[in-house]
Amino acid sequence: MEILSFKEAKDILLKYKMPFCETEIFDSLSKGLSYAEEIGFPVALKAYGKNVFHRTEQGGVAINIKTREEFRREWNNIYDNFKDIEGVLIQKMIKGKELILGMNRNEQFGPVLMFGLGGIYTELYKDIALRIAPVSKKEALEIIKETKAYEIVKGFRGEGVNEEKLIDLILKLSNLSIKEEAIQSIDFNPVMGNKEEVLIVDFKIVVWI
């Protein structure tokens, strides 16, 4: 199996019209800074490479960068902490609730979809629901309702998540999983959701080779 490159994975998201936050990868500080100014601060920087693991714990992530000076400092810090990377991901900061969405292809059942709480809460609460693809709009809503994340989606003690756009993303993942049989697994974590939009932030796609 092989993890798709950033560009290869991004091309698949574009092919299936899956919404993701503005993201590009650069190995040049000047070009990266120009892109950050183009999309507008604040931005996040993330070390990127197929051999990069646990980047948050190792100083490979910087968030909420608001100025050119901060950008340069954090860019250099990432390269100090990671000597063997392909570049740095630059992303527009998105406010919202952290969710997780994914797929794992089972030998017996085929593509199995997964939804739950995302970010650091994925491992902490293990709050997930599973469904075999393809799923209908009704089944997509059922997946959401089976998790504690549903309270967050509805807006427990604050802003909620656009339910229709979240369902639409689940349906698009279902469709992708059925059509792209070479894909073994998909990991969207986190998916950021608010009242206006639901966007994939980090994505990893593994294929058979």
Side-chain angles (χ1 to χ4, degrees):
M1 290 186 288
E2 180 180 283
I3 300 173
L4 293 185
S5 69
F6 169 76
K7 183 182 184 306
E8 290 169 333
K10 185 176 176 180
D11 284 346
I12 288 177
L13 300 188
L14 290 170
K15 177 180 178 180
Y16 288 91
K17 296 180 172 59
M18 307 188 81
F20 55 95
C21 73
E22 293 180 90
T23 307
E24 285 294 346
I25 182 172
F26 295 90
D27 58 7
S28 160
L29 191 158
S30 61
K31 290 181 180 179
L33 183 53
S34 293
Y35 177 73
E37 292 178 319
E38 177 186 327
I39 63 176
F41 291 107
V43 299
L45 302 183
K46 301 176 182 181
Y48 178 81
K50 291 187 177 181
N51 297 318
V52 173
F53 304 100
H54 309 296
R55 61 188 175 193
T56 301
E57 294 85 347
Q58 297 176 26
V61 175
I63 63 172
N64 208 32
I65 296 169
K66 298 176 180 177
T67 67
R68 294 169 60 93
E69 292 69 27
E70 281 185 72
F71 186 98
R72 291 190 182 94
R73 182 175 67 249
E74 297 298 346
W75 178 284
N76 291 328
N77 284 342
I78 287 174
Y79 270 93
D80 286 342
N81 293 329
F82 292 85
K83 304 302 181 185
D84 182 26
I85 58 175
E86 296 171 42
V88 175
L89 287 178
I90 302 172
Q91 295 182 317
K92 180 76 174 175
M93 289 292 298
I94 304 295
K95 292 183 179 180
K97 306 302 182 183
E98 290 187 287
L99 305 168
I100 185 172
L101 186 58
M103 183 277 290
N104 193 26
R105 195 172 299 277
N106 181 279
E107 285 188 11
Q108 182 176 356
F109 301 109
V112 179
L113 307 183
M114 178 268 292
F115 169 79
L117 286 172
I120 62 173
Y121 301 108
T122 303
E123 291 297 322
L124 182 61
Y125 294 113
K126 303 188 186 301
D127 175 44
I128 61 170
L130 304 173
R131 280 295 187 286
I132 298 171
V135 298
S136 65
K137 186 174 182 178
K138 178 183 176 182
E139 290 169 324
L141 179 58
E142 288 173 352
I143 297 173
I144 302 169
K145 285 185 172 181
E146 284 182 12
T147 66
K148 296 183 180 68
Y150 184 55
E151 294 300 318
I152 293 173
V153 172
K154 288 194 302 180
F156 177 73
R157 290 185 179 178
E159 288 286 322
V161 174
N162 189 308
E163 192 174 283
E164 285 300 314
K165 290 189 176 181
L166 179 56
I167 289 172
D168 184 63
L169 179 57
I170 293 172
L171 293 176
K172 286 178 177 178
L173 176 61
S174 174
N175 181 45
L176 184 163
S177 301
I178 292 296
K179 291 187 175 180
E180 302 288 341
E181 296 183 0
I183 294 179
Q184 171 63 22
S185 68
I186 297 172
D187 184 17
F188 298 152
N189 186 24
V191 172
M192 297 298 289
N194 55 48
K195 284 292 187 182
E196 287 72 44
E197 56 191 357
V198 175
L199 300 174
I200 300 163
V201 176
D202 285 343
F203 45 87
K204 182 173 75 172
I205 299 177
V206 178
V207 298
W208 292 107
I209 56 173

